Every structure is written in structure tokens, then in C-alpha cells.
Amino acid sequence: MTIMSKQVNQVKLGAEFIADTPHRESNDRCLWAARMRRDKVAATLTEWEEMRELASEIKKHSLSHLDGYLEQLEENLTSRGISVHWAETAQDHNDIVLEILRERNVATLTKGKSMAMDECGLREHLEEAGIEVNESDLGERIQQLDNQRDSHIVMPAIHKLRTDVARIFAEKLGSDPAQDDPKYLNSVMRADMRERYVKADAGMIGCNFAVAETGTIVMCSNEGDVDICATVPPLLIVTVGIEKIIPRQSDLPLFLRLLSRSSLGYDITQYTSHISSPAPGQEIHVVLLDNGRSHRLGQPYHEVLKCIRCGTCMNTCPVFRRTSGISYDANYMGPLGLAIMPSYDLHRYARLPFSCTHCGSCGDVCPVKVPLPELIFYWRDVVVEKRESLFTHDLEEGLMGAVLKNSTDLQRAEKLGLWALRHLPSAVAESGLNPWAKWHKNPIPPEETFREWYKKNASDLDEHSDK
């Protein structure tokens, strides 16, 4: 008997965050600032739209020739002394990593930020096996210490205030709870991690781009922690989602220019690390992760695999900015989450595609032109077709569908709505039965509908158009 997972109620979780005014306002302000920086730096490049189009075409080409490029990548990596492993599922990935660590008696490791590892639940898997895992990214470390999933794929703790971080560090790292100065909090993190870096038996990092032509793993970061994880321990394991591959080294500058500008609005990330061979005395393993990616290639939503994990769709999304990434209760949140999470578990994430205002901004800003708005609509259709939608939602849609299919019924509905606005007491019209009324006042009713106005003025309008 299969036990159905509980559906994520993003509306409910989002409402809880919205009610917390200081956190909501801070989250919204910080993310919108990143979006504005993105627009500013993009405007300095006259070729920006051509860059987006070229990057999209390169990703399409890579995905349509994925098998050949993956074989080329493996050949180039192994020729330089790097061991390559293939993981079909998340469980395979975790088992491979754990086996490597156990064979080498690894007790502690430092881990750079990796969405693919989070997707597999790797940290939890290793901790259950008795291995100590320490996140090296500041935001990721904050979330780890707070036992909370990431709120953003680039800025994991962006929804938190300085006072939150001060409290967490005081509880877990023994710092001064009254000190919430960012410089002080950063110094606490550095002091704590320095010991862990030195003692770590192994390091783990993710991958932004894997260059097939040269067998190079490329990681971008702003804190330098990835380089420490990759170079200090004698053992390094790299998780690479197979969609991260690009064909040539000459393609890389284009994606680096797009990634940094789109994610945080900066010309370039502070650190771009290239790994193509082990250092003397070092051992490197690369795990190529599928976990449903090859299956997605043949699906209508396959273009989601073009995503380079910049997070700009989240920075621009009005729902995400006001409800936080925590409300999605998913590894991938925001517009990207709406477009990809149902492919992991349709029942659990069936409500996510409806957490969208249809503004289309996510598609407008995506640096590789992932058609996010279209993909979100696609999943809505699938949810309804598979009968995973809410009964109340189906009822509302059914009633609206019946009204909109018939012009006579639509006219009657218009008149009924206008009558209600004019005559229903505010105690009724703006009661708890009307969700709109919680945050809005009902509009002042017009004297007539547009349809009524047009009937009266149609002849004059036709006469004017003839002239």
C-alpha cells in the first residue's frame, strides 16, 4: 500500500510569513534590490538580449546531444586522474558518496553549497550514517544551524534578519546574543569554520558548469569557501547534475557573464574556480547525477533543464518576495520550483503551480530563456487532468468556465456583480467570506459596465473610425 505524501500548502505557509511584517518587508526589499541591480548591469550591455538567446541555444544544443558530451566529459576527467561515478537516482548518489567516505574512514567533511546535493538529501543521509557535515556557505550554515531548509537557491537565509542570525549563533556557536553587527557575525562564522576546515577529512562541492571539451568542473562563489572545501582536505567529491554540461571552453565566458549579473546584479562573482585534475596527494571523485533529468528530456517541460540556477526568477516574483522560499517547502522554490517540483512528486507539489500571478516577469528575466510562465501553465493542466487539484478550486473553475463560455451568462454575471457592489452592506461584502477583503477595499461600483457603455457609444465610435 502506497502512502500519499501530504500536499504542500504554499498559500497557508506564505500567509504565515506575510503576517510577520518585519521579515516580509526585509525579504521583499532585499530581493527587489537584487532585481534592480540585475536590470542596471544588464542595461550596460547592448548585446544582453543576444547573449540570452545564444545561451539558450547552447543549452538546447547541449541537452539534445547530452549523451555524447557526457562521454566526452568522463573521458577527459578520467584521463587526468579523476574518478567518475554515475548515479541514476538520488539514492544511488548518496550510496556512492557514503561508500567513498566509508572506504577512507571519513568522519568529518566540509560541504560547499549544492542544490543537487540538497535535492538528494545528502547531508541528512550522511549525518544518519554518523558523518559530521559542516556547510561552508554562510547562508547555508545559518540554515543548517537553524534546522531549516533554504529560502533561496543563491541566498539561502535571505528571509532572516540580523537579529535571527545573532540568536542562532548565540545558541549554537556561543557568540554574544546582543551583537547583531554583520561584521561581528561573519567573524563568528569564520572562527568556527577555520577549525572545521583544517580537521575535515573530506570536502564536497557542487558544480555550476562542466565543460565537456576540457573536462573542467567550474564553480562560482562569493565567499571563497568552495576553494577551501576543494583544496584543503585530501579527498574531494564533486556532485554534477548532468544538465550542467556545456560543450566548449569558449562557451564558458558567456554563461559566467549571465550568471553573476542575473543572480546578484554584479559584473562577476568573487571566485570562479576551475578543477580539471587532482593536486599532488589529492583524490577527486565526480558523481554525475541523473535523478530524473534524462526522463525530463523527452517531456513537454524539458526546457527547465536549461536553468543555470541564478535565482533571478525568484528575485522578481511578487509571490516569492512576499512569502519567502520557505513557504514552498521544496528544494527548488519560486517560479523554478513551480516549473520543476511537480515532476518529482505531482501529488505533494500539486498546489505550487497555482502560486503565481501570471505577471510573466520570471520568463522575461531568465538569462537562458527558460519559458517559466508556459511551464507553470503546463503543470496546472497536468494537475487538473490527474485530479490532483483541490475540490474548491475545481468547483470555482467549473463555475467560471460555464459563465465564460456563454455571452448571455457572462452579461448576467456582470450585472449581478455590479448589483452586489452597489447594494450589499460592507459588513457582508467585506466579510471573511471574501478573501479579497482581507487586504483590500472593494472598488467603487461604476455607473455602468463597459458593455453597456459601448452599446450606447458604438455608433459614434464607428463614425469616428471611418474618418
Side-chain angles (χ1 to χ4, degrees):
M1 176 177 159
T2 302
I3 300 175
M4 298 290 283
S5 56
K6 184 179 179 182
Q7 285 192 340
V8 173
N9 189 340
Q10 196 273 337
V11 173
K12 179 182 177 182
L13 296 174
E16 293 173 3
F17 189 79
I18 288 172
D20 187 345
T21 302
H23 285 84
R24 183 191 74 240
E25 290 181 346
S26 174
N27 192 70
D28 192 4
R29 181 176 63 253
C30 292
L31 293 174
W32 188 245
R35 162 68 204 275
M36 289 295 96
R37 289 196 302 270
R38 175 263 180 203
D39 288 358
K40 186 176 180 180
V41 296
T44 64
L45 299 173
T46 56
E47 69 273 25
W48 180 256
E49 290 305 318
E50 287 79 2
M51 289 167 60
R52 292 178 66 215
E53 183 62 34
L54 178 57
S56 174
E57 291 302 315
I58 292 173
K59 290 295 287 185
K60 285 181 182 178
H61 168 81
S62 301
L63 294 169
S64 61
H65 298 80
L66 192 57
D67 54 347
Y69 284 127
L70 285 172
E71 290 175 358
Q72 184 181 11
L73 177 68
E74 180 186 31
E75 181 181 347
N76 285 323
L77 287 170
T78 54
S79 69
R80 293 182 175 86
I82 295 176
S83 300
V84 177
H85 310 261
W86 298 80
E88 182 178 355
T89 66
Q91 187 63 51
D92 293 338
H93 170 271
N94 294 345
D95 290 343
I96 289 168
V97 172
L98 183 57
E99 183 179 358
I100 294 170
L101 298 178
R102 279 180 168 165
E103 286 177 353
R104 290 150 188 82
N105 297 315
V106 170
T108 64
L109 67 84
T110 51
K111 172 182 167 298
K113 191 177 186 319
S114 167
M115 295 305 300
M117 292 183 207
D118 293 348
E119 173 187 324
C120 296
L122 177 68
R123 189 176 75 212
E124 295 79 5
H125 183 76
L126 296 182
E127 288 174 341
E128 287 176 5
I131 295 175
E132 180 184 328
V133 180
N134 295 296
E135 298 285 354
S136 61
D137 176 88
L138 174 59
E140 193 88 13
R141 182 64 170 162
I142 292 168
Q143 293 303 94
Q144 180 186 19
L145 293 174
D146 200 28
N147 195 31
Q148 189 180 58
R149 66 163 65 248
D150 292 353
S151 181
H152 193 286
I153 62 174
V154 176
M155 301 171 277
I158 191 66
H159 65 298
K160 281 183 164 62
L161 302 176
R162 287 159 42 179
T163 51
D164 299 327
V165 180
R167 172 186 55 79
I168 294 165
F169 279 12
E171 292 174 358
K172 302 297 176 66
L173 304 179
S175 59
D176 184 351
Q179 278 274 18
D180 65 355
D181 176 69
K183 290 184 178 179
Y184 170 76
L185 295 173
N186 272 291
S187 71
V188 171
M189 167 73 171
R190 283 196 298 269
D192 177 69
M193 283 303 299
R194 278 184 186 133
E195 262 187 64
R196 302 178 190 276
Y197 284 134
V198 173
K199 293 180 179 179
D201 301 313
M204 289 197 68
I205 63 171
C207 167
N208 286 101
F209 306 103
V211 184
E213 178 186 54
T214 59
T216 304
I217 303 299
V218 182
M219 268 298 296
C220 304
S221 70
N222 286 305
E223 298 175 18
D225 60 294
V226 169
D227 299 85
I228 301 175
C229 290
T231 57
V232 173
L235 171 65
L236 171 64
I237 303 175
V238 187
T239 295
V240 181
I242 59 174
E243 84 283 10
K244 296 296 184 71
I245 203 161
I246 57 175
R248 302 170 297 273
Q249 186 74 17
S250 59
D251 298 325
L252 184 59
L254 169 67
F255 287 98
L256 293 178
R257 293 175 78 195
L258 287 168
L259 176 64
S260 54
R261 287 170 172 83
S262 298
S263 60
L264 295 173
Y266 299 141
D267 290 336
I268 196 168
T269 52
Q270 298 295 319
Y271 302 91
T272 301
S273 308
H274 302 245
I275 299 172
S276 56
S277 62
Q282 185 187 38
E283 183 181 358
I284 298 180
H285 294 257
V286 169
V287 184
L288 298 174
L289 174 68
D290 189 327
N291 200 31
R293 286 161 172 77
S294 57
H295 172 73
R296 294 183 186 104
L297 280 173
Q299 303 301 319
Y301 54 91
H302 69 277
E303 284 198 70
V304 75
L305 292 171
K306 294 192 300 182
C307 174
I308 60 172
R309 306 295 192 267
C310 69
T312 192
C313 62
M314 301 167 194
N315 300 342
T316 198
C317 175
V319 177
F320 182 90
R321 296 200 321 265
R322 289 163 180 81
T323 62
S324 87
I326 299 298
S327 68
Y328 294 80
D329 196 18
N331 187 61
Y332 300 107
M333 60 296 289
L336 172 61
L338 272 56
I340 196 172
M341 290 311 299
S343 68
Y344 288 96
D345 188 333
L346 181 62
H347 175 75
R348 176 168 173 75
Y349 301 110
R351 300 193 197 182
L352 290 192
F354 298 93
S355 296
C356 173
T357 65
H358 321 301
C359 69
S361 184
C362 54
D364 292 339
V365 300
C366 177
V368 288
K369 293 194 170 183
V370 176
L372 289 166
E374 289 86 349
L375 299 184
I376 293 168
F377 276 117
Y378 164 80
W379 281 115
R380 289 187 174 191
D381 288 342
V382 172
V383 167
V384 174
E385 180 186 337
K386 300 294 184 181
R387 299 187 179 279
E388 293 288 356
S389 51
L390 294 175
F391 170 77
T392 52
H393 179 267
D394 290 342
L395 182 62
E396 292 168 358
E397 291 290 311
L399 291 172
M400 286 302 298
V403 170
L404 293 173
K405 284 178 182 176
N406 187 296
S407 60
T408 302
D409 289 341
L410 179 58
Q411 290 182 54
R412 289 171 179 166
E414 288 173 349
K415 291 179 179 179
L416 179 61
L418 196 56
W419 179 90
L421 281 174
R422 287 172 178 164
H423 300 290
L424 282 180
S426 59
V428 176
E430 298 178 6
S431 70
L433 297 174
N434 180 6
W436 169 270
K438 187 172 182 180
W439 299 103
H440 309 84
K441 284 284 186 182
N442 280 330
I444 298 172
E447 294 182 2
E448 58 188 355
T449 65
F450 173 77
R451 192 187 303 274
E452 291 169 341
W453 175 89
Y454 186 81
K455 282 182 178 179
K456 288 194 299 187
N457 295 275
S459 58
D460 293 340
L461 292 171
D462 292 340
E463 183 179 342
H464 180 74
S465 64
D466 291 339
K467 294 179 181 179

